[in-house]
C-alpha cells in the first residue's frame, strides 16, 4: 500500500516538474515576444510613445501604454512578464511541496514568495 502511494506521489511530482518547466518556457517566450514587438515598433516609428524623459512607472500606465501601442510600454510589459515568470515558478513549487506532503518546504517556499511580493511592492512604490 505504501509503495503504491509513493509511486502516485512520484508520478504527481513528475507532472508538477513538467508543469514548472512549461511555465518557465512559456513565460520567457511571451516576455521575449513582447520585447521584440516593442523594439520593432520603436525602430519603425522612431518614437517611444512618450514625451521627453517620461515613461510608465506603474502597472496601470504600462497596461494603458500597451493598449495604445506605445513601444516603450510594450517593452516594459515584456520586462514585467519576465520578472513575473520566476514568481509563478515559486507558486507552482508551493503546490508541488503540498502534494509531496513536505510541510517544511511549503513554509520555506511560501516565505520566499512573500519576500518576492514585498520586494516587488517596495520596488514599485519606493516604500
Amino acid at each position: 500500500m505504501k509503495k503504491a502511494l509513493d509511486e502516485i506521489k512520484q508520478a504527481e511530482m513528475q507532472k508538477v516538474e513538467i508543469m514548472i518547466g512549461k511555465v518557465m518556457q512559456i513565460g520567457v517566450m511571451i516576455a521575449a515576444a513582447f520585447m521584440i514587438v516593442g523594439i520593432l515598433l520603436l525602430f519603425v516609428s522612431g518614437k517611444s510613445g512618450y514625451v521627453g524623459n517620461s515613461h510608465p512607472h506603474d502597472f496601470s500606465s504600462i497596461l494603458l501604454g500597451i493598449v495604445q501601442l506605445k513601444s516603450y510600454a510594450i517593452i516594459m510589459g515584456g520586462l514585467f512578464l519576465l520578472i513575473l515568470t520566476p514568481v509563478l515558478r515559486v507558486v507552482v513549487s508551493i503546490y508541488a511541496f503540498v502534494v509531496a506532503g513536505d510541510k517544511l518546504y511549503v513554509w520555506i517556499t511560501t516565505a520566499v514568495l512573500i519576500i518576492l511580493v514585498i520586494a516587488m511592492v517596495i520596488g514599485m512604490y519606493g516604500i
Side-chain angles (χ1 to χ4, degrees):
M1 181 74 173
K2 182 170 171 34
K3 186 176 181 181
L5 288 174
D6 287 341
E7 288 177 6
I8 292 171
K9 279 187 178 180
Q10 187 175 14
E12 183 68 23
M13 289 302 293
Q14 286 177 339
K15 288 180 188 176
V16 169
E17 288 175 12
I18 290 170
M19 186 170 43
I20 288 172
K22 287 186 181 191
V23 164
M24 297 296 286
Q25 288 175 342
I26 291 169
V28 169
M29 285 190 278
I30 291 172
F34 262 78
M35 288 186 274
I36 289 169
V37 168
I39 290 169
L40 288 175
L41 189 60
L42 178 65
F43 285 141
V44 168
S45 70
K47 299 176 184 176
S48 70
Y50 296 94
V51 179
N53 290 333
S54 67
H55 56 279
H57 287 90
D58 57 8
F59 185 68
S60 61
S61 62
I62 291 172
L63 277 179
L64 181 62
I66 290 171
V67 170
Q68 296 172 345
L69 294 176
K70 294 183 177 184
S71 59
Y72 193 78
I74 295 171
I75 295 168
M76 293 291 289
L79 290 173
F80 177 75
L81 291 173
L82 191 62
I83 292 168
L84 188 62
T85 301
V87 175
L88 291 175
R89 188 221 188 279
V90 172
V91 171
V92 174
S93 295
I94 291 171
Y95 169 75
F97 292 132
V98 167
V99 168
D102 196 338
K103 292 179 183 178
L104 176 63
Y105 280 104
V106 169
W107 286 109
I108 291 171
T109 312
T110 302
V112 169
L113 180 62
I114 291 168
I115 291 168
L116 284 170
V117 169
I118 290 171
M120 287 173 72
V121 168
I122 290 171
M124 183 181 254
Y125 296 107
I127 299 173

